[in-house]
Amino acid sequence: MKRLAARAGLMALVVGLSVLPTFPAAVTSQSEPEIRADLDGRPIPAADVGRYHCEDIDFPRIHCYAIVGDLEWAVARRLAAPQPPGPQGAAASTATTYVRVFADKVFAGASAYLSTPYDDLSVIGWNDRISSFQGLGGAGGTFFQHIYRGGAAYPFNANQWVTYVGDTYNDTFSSVVPR
């Protein structure tokens, strides 16, 4: 009798679970653009950006390169390109405010030019990986130890080059806001 009651209870649980509504595993805001990344022109997952040398000047497109020299050439060419007149040109010229992050001390390892705020660096493979950085462009910004700009803040200035963020902050940044 107990076995029959246990089976009936299990069946009720299975039937009950099967009629529950299902929800997507992750819900994203409609206002957040879908980040798309490529490596030397071939699509890659956005989470792999932290493995290469990348730039997000065309955000939400991120262009990555296997060789750091190819990144340097592409960024120099893109930032030197003449901008169209009008509001689109003005918007493009302000996109050159960025920070360059590095996975290792003394500007070594994988790197990325970031020109837009990232509330969660894990989306692009940079969560808890930054050891050095270069504040470039016309303004500075702030790194944060937690996603969505939480935890301790680490502000930086334009043209500030930090060869090592220190033991307290090494590999702890989870969000960034270049301004």
Side-chain angles (χ1 to χ4, degrees):
M1 191 66 167
K2 285 184 180 182
R3 181 179 281 172
L4 184 59
R7 283 187 183 171
L10 182 59
M11 276 302 273
L13 177 64
V14 169
V15 170
L17 289 176
S18 68
V19 296
L20 287 176
T22 57
F23 298 97
V27 178
T28 58
S29 167
Q30 294 294 343
S31 64
E32 294 179 21
E34 180 182 350
I35 297 173
R36 295 182 184 206
D38 65 76
L39 173 63
D40 297 323
R42 294 179 317 275
I44 61 170
D48 287 352
V49 166
R51 298 173 50 201
Y52 302 103
H53 304 283
C54 305
E55 53 88 358
D56 72 354
I57 297 169
D58 284 338
F59 186 82
R61 298 262 337 146
I62 299 176
H63 303 288
C64 299
Y65 305 86
I67 300 169
V68 69
D70 292 345
L71 170 67
E72 299 294 346
W73 183 83
V75 168
R77 185 190 67 201
R78 304 233 7 243
L79 295 180
Q83 300 301 325
Q88 289 82 11
S93 67
T94 60
T96 60
T97 298
Y98 49 88
V99 61
R100 186 170 182 192
V101 296
F102 296 86
D104 299 324
K105 298 177 185 179
V106 195
F107 317 124
S111 67
Y113 288 89
L114 306 177
S115 65
T116 190
Y118 290 92
D119 286 332
D120 184 353
L121 285 168
S122 69
V123 171
I124 59 168
W126 276 97
N127 187 55
D128 295 342
R129 295 201 50 231
I130 299 168
S131 295
S132 59
F133 68 88
Q134 300 167 342
L136 304 165
T142 307
F143 291 104
F144 297 90
Q145 283 188 305
H146 302 303
I147 62 172
Y148 297 102
R149 305 174 194 185
Y154 188 110
F156 61 90
N157 298 314
N159 302 316
Q160 178 182 5
W161 290 28
V162 176
T163 58
Y164 180 57
V165 296
D167 292 342
T168 302
Y169 292 101
N170 187 44
D171 296 337
T172 66
F173 298 139
S174 296
S175 56
V176 63
V177 181
R179 45 179 157 90

